[in-house]
Amino acid sequence: MSENNQVAIITGAGSGIGRASSIKLAENGATVVLVDYNAQSGEETLQMIKDKGGNGIFVQADVSKSEDVQNYVNKAVEAYGRIDFFYNNAGVVQKFNRLADIEEAEFDRLVAVNLKGCFLGMKYVLQVMDRQGSGHILNTASTAGIRSEHSASVYSATKHGVVGMTKSAALEYVKRGIRINAILPGAVKTALTAGVMKSFQEGGYVPEEVSNVRMGRPAEPEEIANVVAFMASPASSYMTGSLVNVDGGLTL
Ligand SMILES: NC(=O)c1ccc[n+]([C@@H]2O[C@H](COP(=O)([O-])OP(=O)(O)OC[C@H]3O[C@@H](n4cnc5c(N)ncnc54)[C@H](O)[C@@H]3O)[C@@H](O)[C@H]2O)c1
């Protein structure tokens, strides 16, 4: 399975799932445009890729800011002339709390990064892909995008939003040569989940779904990256509007 010569943008490329996916796509031959808010960790990912003989650039961006998103899209097109695969992945988790105890500022932050960030990325990348008449977008939703998640109502709402946007946009672009899918990880061992566990412990509550991962362990980021690589490859050619669970049986 090879992405030979693909130009791929990956957001949230400085850590966790985004970093592992960026490395995997570059190993498979893609030229990568790495995007992250954190310049240091984004540059580190780029260095890891270059050390293995891969190609790419890093662009610092806050995915919730329209001008930053337009900038990373423009930089990709200036550098490489096209965008074949867009992994729209950056996201943040909430401080775990029952809904009435969630601060309004926390709501605004989650909606800005997880939902508006997803929308802005799709909006500006789709303009390029539509001109090309080809392309594939993969959004990172979550199992929280199709089911309840105790103490994470706003996070869950943003991920349900990502699922809805994925399916509606897939329908809008299916006749224009563009596929749009979502990947739904369950629990993955990243900086994000380390924060979640701390938040649970501080709140004195560990939700049942943590022990409901039927495989009895969280995923390694590379186990998500392997599925991202499959999605980026021609092997996924008949998939659009799909919600791809990668959750160790969490949703069973
Ligand atoms: N880890 C899990 O268990 C899990 C489960 C389901 C879904 N997800 C989703 O997977 C995605 C990646 O999560 P992860 O676990 O790899 O997290 P992570 O915290 O390890 O990595 C997220 C990256 O996104 C970047 N980022 C955050 N806000 C940004 C912004 N406004 N602009 C640009 N970059 C920003 C961070 O700097 C970081 O490098 C997220 O959308 C998350 O919601 C994670």
Side-chain angles (χ1 to χ4, degrees):
M1 185 189 308
S2 168
E3 283 75 64
N4 293 331
N5 304 323
Q6 268 198 343
V7 177
I9 301 179
I10 303 102
T11 69
S15 176
I17 296 168
R19 170 174 281 178
S21 301
S22 301
I23 292 169
K24 184 78 187 171
L25 292 173
E27 279 173 358
N28 286 356
T31 300
V32 291
V33 177
L34 309 181
V35 175
D36 205 287
Y37 185 64
N38 184 328
Q40 192 187 332
S41 61
E43 292 285 5
E44 274 171 19
T45 305
L46 182 61
Q47 195 53 52
M48 291 172 180
I49 286 169
K50 289 189 169 168
D51 288 348
K52 292 175 174 225
N55 281 322
I57 55 171
F58 169 73
V59 186
Q60 184 180 20
D62 178 342
V63 299
S64 68
K65 300 253 171 10
S66 182
E67 60 275 21
D68 284 16
V69 174
Q70 291 177 65
N71 182 52
Y72 77 64
V73 172
N74 289 339
K75 286 266 161 56
V77 175
E78 278 164 25
Y80 304 117
R82 62 180 202 277
I83 304 165
D84 302 306
F85 182 66
F86 175 41
Y87 186 29
N88 201 7
N89 164 73
V92 287
V93 75
Q94 72 175 84
K95 187 172 181 328
F96 276 58
N97 248 332
R98 284 189 171 79
L99 193 145
D101 300 320
I102 297 170
E103 301 292 341
E104 285 185 42
E106 180 78 336
F107 175 92
D108 290 342
R109 180 180 75 95
L110 282 146
V111 170
V113 179
N114 292 0
L115 195 53
K116 191 174 181 191
C118 177
F119 162 72
L120 289 171
M122 290 177 80
K123 174 178 169 65
Y124 290 107
V125 168
L126 276 168
Q127 291 176 4
V128 176
M129 289 182 172
D130 212 18
R131 283 199 296 276
Q132 296 172 168
S134 67
H136 182 189
I137 296 176
L138 182 66
N139 295 319
T140 300
S142 165
T143 49
I146 52 167
R147 67 197 285 273
S148 57
E149 190 152 306
H150 197 297
S151 302
S153 55
V154 177
Y155 178 77
S156 171
T158 62
K159 294 301 187 179
H160 274 74
V162 171
V163 165
M165 221 172 344
T166 300
K167 292 201 285 190
S168 298
L171 181 60
E172 291 168 5
Y173 288 89
V174 68
K175 295 274 173 57
R176 303 173 83 110
I178 301 166
R179 299 188 292 117
I180 304 170
N181 292 292
I183 187 164
L184 281 58
V188 189
K189 235 192 267 173
T190 67
L192 182 140
T193 33
V196 170
M197 287 317 291
K198 188 162 172 282
S199 183
F200 285 151
Q201 281 149 6
E202 281 168 7
Y205 169 76
V206 178
E208 201 188 335
E209 57 266 28
V210 170
S211 57
N212 268 353
V213 179
R214 301 309 203 279
M215 286 191 182
R217 64 171 179 87
E220 297 296 332
E222 291 71 22
E223 293 179 286
I224 310 300
N226 288 337
V227 182
V228 173
F230 163 78
M231 292 303 292
S233 80
S236 74
S237 58
Y238 200 59
M239 297 174 74
T240 196
S242 295
L243 308 179
V244 183
N245 285 10
V246 191
D247 64 11
L250 186 147
T251 44
L252 291 175

